[in-house]
Amino acid sequence: EFLDSRRRYAATLRMAPSAAARLKEWFRETTDVGTPSPDDPMVTVQARFDDEAQVLFIVLGFGARAEVLDPPSLRDQVRREMAVM
């Protein structure tokens, strides 16, 4: 009950299928909202994380295999981190 009742940070990500599969192994609150196509092999997933820092760490770790679609503040934070790198 405690785990289900705490606040969560929702993010929508566009990911390589292999990265999305790995994310689903790590986070039970991950849902596919799109499927790959010949024109675009990436998938869209929605996931819930503990906080923004956690999803930022995950996205940066996946590198080019993950892109933040929402929320915009997280997408901006990824851009700032990448500019520093």
Side-chain angles (χ1 to χ4, degrees):
E1 282 182 21
F2 169 75
L3 291 176
D4 291 335
S5 68
R6 61 194 170 132
R7 292 186 60 201
R8 306 289 282 162
Y9 185 89
T12 303
L13 309 173
R14 186 172 171 266
M15 308 182 81
S18 61
R22 180 66 73 185
L23 185 72
K24 289 178 199 173
E25 291 175 11
W26 297 336
F27 296 93
R28 65 184 174 110
E29 295 182 61
T30 304
T31 306
D32 287 334
V33 293
T35 56
S37 72
D39 295 331
D40 184 9
M42 303 288 266
V43 296
T44 301
V45 297
Q46 292 178 332
R48 295 192 175 275
F49 301 89
D50 290 340
D51 53 35
E52 184 179 69
Q54 184 182 50
V55 67
L56 178 64
F57 177 81
I58 297 293
V59 168
L60 291 173
F62 280 125
R65 296 180 299 151
E67 173 188 358
V68 176
L69 299 179
D70 196 59
S73 61
L74 176 61
R75 188 174 53 243
D76 293 343
Q77 181 64 25
V78 169
R79 284 185 184 135
R80 285 192 295 274
E81 291 289 327
M82 291 179 67
V84 171
M85 293 190 314

